[in-house]
């Protein structure tokens, strides 16, 4: 049978199950990735398994999120991560070395392999022809222990690219166009696989921008073929020995087809507060901006910054705009320094930040009250920037640079004094500066390694086995597309508490209802009611772990995002779905819900919920595999796997 790339890689890694869309399969994981904000919990989970060393081919721990260090907390986490990496045979990319996805694509991604990462943008590395998937920290811990990764066999959407981007139009515009068409709701259970003559016109960093923001579609991952350009990129990284060619067979079958003609695309922008609220830049040309940020794991490559420099060269930033730039990796930072690009950016008035996530996740550079911030990152959820009423727009580095000059959202083709065709001359540098000394390599003899645990590292809380009666108040009723940023916000104040669940749980639903933690405690926990796509966005398991700590027993929603659904099960929270979605309207906040004989109901995946307050019954179901039933009955993944091991 003629196979697509997705099926080829899954087939070569298949451990269990049949590759039929919608059914659970499990695959061998070759590589894992964590970052510091999810890594501490992932390594505490791994440690609890009592194994001497990771069982993967390559596991990398990146320190790139919590680098502001306004107190001891981040530094404690860093010391913990660096030492625990040594203890268990894990590479550790130290703070300053760059953003996990940028560095992984440069230094570790290998075509044909699988990668599981505790960050939702892990699929970035799929630009090199691998299957890279985001998951919660607990799932990554299981993969490090050599356990197969369970997932729902996805449908494969073929996105066929034809033509060639015109000058001033960017890879970012391809993924924004796809978000416009597919929205953030329609990717669950699917993989996007790119094909067509347009693919060979896109460099690896451009492909990375596209696979990175596939996370916003909600898809499991996004895959590009591994071709001549992949070879050249890997060669420039001194890693050509790891290259293999990987392409779909002729006549390979797909479940859906979407065609995008690159010749027809225009610069696009996503409006506040969702990445799918996409319009043409020229339709937003009256929007005044007060801040521009070029960076994040989506758009911080050498060519991104080189293109921004062409637009900014010789100009000064608009007096009403603050421009910040963060190169994605130390390699990129060194190369833009060597090639004079940094000097152009500095002389334009840009504020240069370290190679880290920074403003993307509200760590510094929060915009002014009500201010418009135009950013090259991937998410513009409400409040994520650190300013509750900040208005975040998302666009390419070219649009960002042009707007920094004019002070309004600007199509680079409309900017006076530049020849937009010059942008086409920018190539990814083939002369990479390769220096891995900021990546600590695994060591053989680990017995003497002492793991450093400062006071910010608190033990991992766990739930006991599932009880047979689940009851409680509806603590909160929320609408559609609730993000993990809504459930467990990030930002410079809350993120340092990621290793301290009792402390971070005081911020659950902070932007929606500040009384939530107090009410949860007073009511001895309870239930949350949600709409469609509950838990979209980040992989942060704290959006399950912290509610679990507060006693949340079940989420009753219209549908769930993939990673969050798995995280809820990993921490023993029931993910229930309305059988009849109109029943959502029949429940109010504070209603008391009761589910009896829970254990039997989990086994059947069918639930009758009594709304005691309204004296009515609601039918619900759970989309859970037999394995997930056992995990829930055990009270979570760690309890379950300990029994197995
Ligand atoms: C994000 O972009 O939201 C994050 C911060 O990288 C998260 C992970 C986390 O919350 O630590 C993600 O995307 O998974
Ligand atoms: Fe970091 Fe932002 Fe990328 Fe998340 S999306 S990994 S916070 S740069």
């Amino acid at each position: 049978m003629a196979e697509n790339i997705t099926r080829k890689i899954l087939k070569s890694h298949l451990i269990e199950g049949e590759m039929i869309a919608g059914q659970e399969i499990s695959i061998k994981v070759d590589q894992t990735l964590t970052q510091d904000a999810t890594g501490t919990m992932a390594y505490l989970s791994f440690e609890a398994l009592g194994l001497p060393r990771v069982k993967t081919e390559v596991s990398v721990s990146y320190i790139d999120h919590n680098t502001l260090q306004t107190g001891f907390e981040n530094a404690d986490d860093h010391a913990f991560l660096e030492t625990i990496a040594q203890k268990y045979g894990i590479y550790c990319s130290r703070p300053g070395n760059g953003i996990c996805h940028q560095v992984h694509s440069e230094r570790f991604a290998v075509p044909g392999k699988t990668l599981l990462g505790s960050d939702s943008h892990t699929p970035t590395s799929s630009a090199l022809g691998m299957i890279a998937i985001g998951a919660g920290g607990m799932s990554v811990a299981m993969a490090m222990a050599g356990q197969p990764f369970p997932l729902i066999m996805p449908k494969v959407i073929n996105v066929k690219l034809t033509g060639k981007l015109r000058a001033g139009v960017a890879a970012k515009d391809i993924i924004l166009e796809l978000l416009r068409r597919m929205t953030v709701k329609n990717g669950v259970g699917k993989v996007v696989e790119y094909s067509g003559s347009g693919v060979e016109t896109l460099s690896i960093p451009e492909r990375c921008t596209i696979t990175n923001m596939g996370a916003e579609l909600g898809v499991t991952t996004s895959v590009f073929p591994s071709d001549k350009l992949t070879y050249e990129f890997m060669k420039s990284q001194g890693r050509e020995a790891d290259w293999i060619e990987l392409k779909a067979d002729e006549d390979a079958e797909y479940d859906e087809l979407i065609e995008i003609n690159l010749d027809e695309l225009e610069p696009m922008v996503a409006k506040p507060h969702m990445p799918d609220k996409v319009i043409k830049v020229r339709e937003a040309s009256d929007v005044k901006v007060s801040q521009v940020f070029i960076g994040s794991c989506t758009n911080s490559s050498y060519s991104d910054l080189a293109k921004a420099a062409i637009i900014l060269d010789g100009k000064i930033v608009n007096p009403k705009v603050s421009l910040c730039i963060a190169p994605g990796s130390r390699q990129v930072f060194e190369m833009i320094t060597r090639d004079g690009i940094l000097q152009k950016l500095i002389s334009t008035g840009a504020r240069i930040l370290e190679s880290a996530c920074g403003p993307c996740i509200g760590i510094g550079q929060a915009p002014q009250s009500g201010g418009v911030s135009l950013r090259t990152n991937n998410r513009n959820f409400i409040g994520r920037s650190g300013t509750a009423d900040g208005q975040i727009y998302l666009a390419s580095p070219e649009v960002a640079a042009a707007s920094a000059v004019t002070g309004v959202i600007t199509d680079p083709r409309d900017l006076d004094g530049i020849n937009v065709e010059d942008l086409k001359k920018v190539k990814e540098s083939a002369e990479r500066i390769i220096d891995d000394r900021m990546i600590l390599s695994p060591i053989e003899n680990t017995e003497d390694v002492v793991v450093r645990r400062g006071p910010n590292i608190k033990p991992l809380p766990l739930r006991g086995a599932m009880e047979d009666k689940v009851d409680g108040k509806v603590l909160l009723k929320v609408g559609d597309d609730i993000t993990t940023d809504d459930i467990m916000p990030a930002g410079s104040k809350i993120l340092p508490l990621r290793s301290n669940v009792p402390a971070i749980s005081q911020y659950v639903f902070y932007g929606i209802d500040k009384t939530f933690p107090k009410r949860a405690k007073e009511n001895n926990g309870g239930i949350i009611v949600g709409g469609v796509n509950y838990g979209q966005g980040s992989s942060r398991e704290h959006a399950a772990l912290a509610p679990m700590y507060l006693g949340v027993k079940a989420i009753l929603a219209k549908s769930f995002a993939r990673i969050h659904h798995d995280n809820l099960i990993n921490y023993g929270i029931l993910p229930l779905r309305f059988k009849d979605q109109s029943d959502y309207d029949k429940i109010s906040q504070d209603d008391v819900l009761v589910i009896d004989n829970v254990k039997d109901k989990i086994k059947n995946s069918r639930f009758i919920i009594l709304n005691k307050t309204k004296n009515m019954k609601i039918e619900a179901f759970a989309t859970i595999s037999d394995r997930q039933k056992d995990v829930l009955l055990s009270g979570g993944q760690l309890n379950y796997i300990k029994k197995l091991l």
Side-chain angles (χ1 to χ4, degrees):
M1 181 181 153
E3 296 276 32
N4 55 48
I5 304 167
T6 309
R7 290 185 63 92
K8 282 186 188 186
I9 303 178
L10 289 177
K11 200 181 218 174
S12 63
H13 288 78
L14 189 68
I15 305 272
E16 264 179 309
E18 269 191 84
M19 289 180 36
I20 299 171
Q23 294 200 6
E24 189 176 90
I25 57 167
S26 66
I27 56 166
K28 175 177 179 287
V29 176
D30 301 323
Q31 302 188 342
T32 63
L33 157 173
T34 59
Q35 40 89 341
D36 49 333
T38 57
T40 49
M41 286 297 142
Y43 296 114
L44 286 174
S45 304
F46 179 77
E47 194 177 37
L49 298 173
L51 298 173
R53 206 177 171 91
V54 292
K55 295 191 171 172
T56 42
E57 289 172 15
V58 169
S59 284
V60 194
S61 169
Y62 292 92
I63 303 177
D64 56 356
H65 281 61
N66 273 322
T67 56
L68 198 57
Q69 297 173 231
T70 53
F72 63 93
E73 294 88 351
N74 295 168
D76 276 13
D77 287 1
H78 300 174
F80 170 77
L81 290 166
E82 288 175 1
T83 48
I84 204 157
Q86 293 276 285
K87 184 93 197 159
Y88 293 117
I90 298 158
Y91 289 92
C92 184
S93 172
R94 301 186 60 213
N97 199 47
I99 308 175
C100 51
H101 310 304
Q102 176 75 27
V103 179
H104 207 86
S105 65
E106 289 168 355
R107 306 303 307 142
F108 292 102
V110 173
K113 298 274 182 189
T114 56
L115 163 70
L116 193 73
S118 61
D119 191 281
S120 62
H121 293 102
T122 302
T124 312
S125 287
S126 290
L128 285 90
M130 69 191 305
I131 293 274
I133 303 178
M138 176 76 83
S139 302
V140 174
M142 297 303 139
M144 290 190 289
Q147 293 293 314
F149 174 63
L151 76 156
I152 301 297
M153 178 65 204
K155 287 189 171 167
V156 186
I157 311 179
N158 179 17
V159 175
K160 200 167 171 192
L161 305 175
T162 50
K164 195 173 181 345
L165 293 172
R166 290 172 294 163
V169 189
K172 181 70 151 232
D173 302 312
I174 303 176
I175 188 65
L176 287 176
E177 169 63 11
L178 202 53
L179 272 154
R180 188 184 71 78
R181 295 200 205 172
M182 279 180 69
T183 79
V184 296
K185 287 190 184 61
N186 292 313
V188 180
K190 299 175 185 172
V191 164
V192 170
E193 184 172 312
Y194 292 87
S195 72
S197 56
V199 166
E200 65 209 40
T201 68
L202 298 169
S203 69
I204 300 307
E206 286 178 311
R207 296 177 193 181
C208 283
T209 296
I210 296 170
T211 50
N212 174 282
M213 260 188 108
E216 278 50 70
L217 298 167
V219 295
T220 308
T221 192
S222 310
V223 189
F224 272 90
S226 168
D227 59 10
K228 200 169 141 272
L229 288 187
T230 321
Y231 174 80
E232 278 162 18
F233 180 80
M234 290 183 73
K235 185 160 184 260
S236 74
Q237 296 287 350
R239 302 201 295 116
E240 68 273 27
D242 285 338
W243 178 81
I244 55 160
E245 186 180 36
L246 202 55
K247 56 183 182 189
D249 294 333
E250 249 172 71
D251 304 325
E253 284 175 23
Y254 294 91
D255 296 291
E256 277 173 54
L257 172 69
I258 295 179
E259 292 185 76
I260 300 182
N261 182 349
L262 305 184
D263 292 319
E264 288 169 6
L265 282 188
E266 303 240 344
M268 312 288 250
V269 63
K271 296 191 295 177
H273 298 282
M274 250 338 129
D276 60 2
K277 291 182 79 179
V278 175
I279 57 169
K280 288 184 185 150
V281 167
R282 281 180 178 153
E283 288 165 3
S285 59
D286 55 343
V287 179
K288 293 196 179 72
V289 299
S290 59
Q291 186 190 54
V292 170
F293 168 56
I294 304 177
S296 91
C297 59
T298 322
N299 276 114
S300 55
S301 65
Y302 176 87
S303 46
D304 283 333
L305 302 184
K307 283 178 190 162
I310 288 187
I311 293 174
L312 293 166
D313 192 16
K315 306 185 184 65
I316 194 79
V317 69
N318 185 283
K320 297 219 168 89
V321 176
S322 167
L323 168 65
C324 332
I325 299 180
S329 67
R330 179 161 146 270
Q331 184 183 85
V332 169
F333 215 150
E334 283 193 68
M335 292 191 310
I336 63 166
T337 313
R338 177 195 64 195
D339 296 348
I341 293 167
L342 180 62
Q343 195 269 330
K344 288 181 184 156
L345 299 174
I346 294 173
S347 73
T348 227
R351 302 165 64 183
I352 307 298
L353 309 174
E354 69 173 315
S355 279
C357 300
C360 172
I361 189 63
I363 302 178
Q365 315 296 331
Q368 59 183 241
S369 294
V372 169
S373 177
L374 179 65
R375 299 177 167 210
T376 64
N377 46 254
N378 44 41
R379 293 187 172 142
N380 55 351
F381 303 147
I382 198 157
R384 182 176 158 104
S385 65
T387 301
D389 61 357
Q391 307 291 311
I392 314 302
Y393 288 70
L394 308 174
S396 67
E398 293 89 321
V399 173
S403 309
V405 174
T406 60
V408 289
I409 294 183
T410 302
D411 186 323
R413 299 170 303 176
D414 299 335
L415 189 67
D416 289 338
I418 69 149
N419 179 1
V420 86
E421 293 298 325
D422 286 346
L423 292 169
K424 280 185 152 174
K425 294 182 197 145
V426 173
K427 294 265 171 300
E428 263 305 310
S429 174
E431 309 278 308
R432 316 294 295 196
I433 298 178
I434 301 166
D435 175 2
D436 287 334
R437 286 173 301 164
M438 285 293 281
I439 302 176
L440 306 175
S441 292
I443 52 171
E444 274 317 308
N445 195 347
T446 59
E447 266 157 44
D448 297 337
V449 177
V450 179
V451 177
R452 284 178 56 196
R453 285 166 228 266
N456 195 43
I457 313 286
K458 296 276 186 279
L460 179 73
L462 289 177
R463 167 158 282 178
M466 181 66 67
E467 287 168 11
D468 213 23
K469 182 173 180 177
V470 163
D471 59 346
K473 261 193 187 170
V474 174
L475 293 169
L476 193 68
K477 185 177 175 187
V478 288
D480 290 350
D481 294 325
I482 285 295
T483 70
T484 48
D485 279 83
D486 293 321
I487 306 168
M488 187 70 262
S492 56
K493 188 165 126 197
I494 305 176
L495 265 172
L497 305 174
R498 283 286 180 93
S499 311
N500 184 342
V501 175
I504 205 169
S505 66
Q506 295 313 307
Y507 294 94
V508 172
F509 284 115
Y510 195 68
I512 292 184
D513 181 346
K514 292 193 176 44
T515 68
F516 183 89
K518 188 166 161 273
R519 290 189 298 107
K521 193 161 176 245
E522 283 165 3
N523 289 289
N524 197 18
I527 292 164
I528 295 165
V529 172
V532 174
N533 201 20
Y534 182 86
Q536 69 151 328
S538 143
S539 69
R540 66 189 69 152
E541 60 191 346
H542 296 75
L545 181 52
M548 182 277 276
Y549 181 81
L550 295 174
V552 171
K553 296 166 190 149
I555 314 286
L556 177 58
K558 292 183 183 171
S559 66
F560 291 91
R562 177 186 64 87
I563 307 179
H564 188 60
H565 186 260
D566 286 356
N567 285 340
L568 290 172
I569 295 169
N570 279 348
Y571 284 99
I573 298 180
L574 283 173
L576 306 180
R577 299 176 62 175
F578 288 100
K579 187 170 173 220
D580 178 351
Q581 299 216 344
S582 65
D583 282 348
Y584 170 89
D585 302 320
K586 297 180 191 152
I587 303 183
S588 316
Q589 192 158 314
D590 291 334
D591 284 359
V592 174
L593 308 184
V594 184
I595 317 172
D596 284 318
N597 301 325
V598 174
K599 292 181 189 169
D600 281 344
K601 289 185 170 129
I602 289 178
K603 285 177 195 149
N604 304 326
S605 313
R606 303 262 161 244
F607 295 80
I608 307 285
I609 303 170
L610 172 67
N611 185 336
K612 231 173 147 182
T613 313
K614 301 222 163 68
N615 195 20
M616 56 177 282
K617 286 186 176 157
I618 293 162
E619 282 187 75
F621 65 102
T623 34
I624 46 176
S625 65
D626 289 345
R627 181 194 52 84
Q628 289 173 320
K629 289 174 190 174
D630 286 342
V631 173
L632 281 169
L633 290 169
S634 314
Q637 180 69 38
L638 207 53
N639 298 339
Y640 167 77
I641 214 76
K642 270 185 175 168
K643 276 196 276 174
L644 281 191
L645 289 175

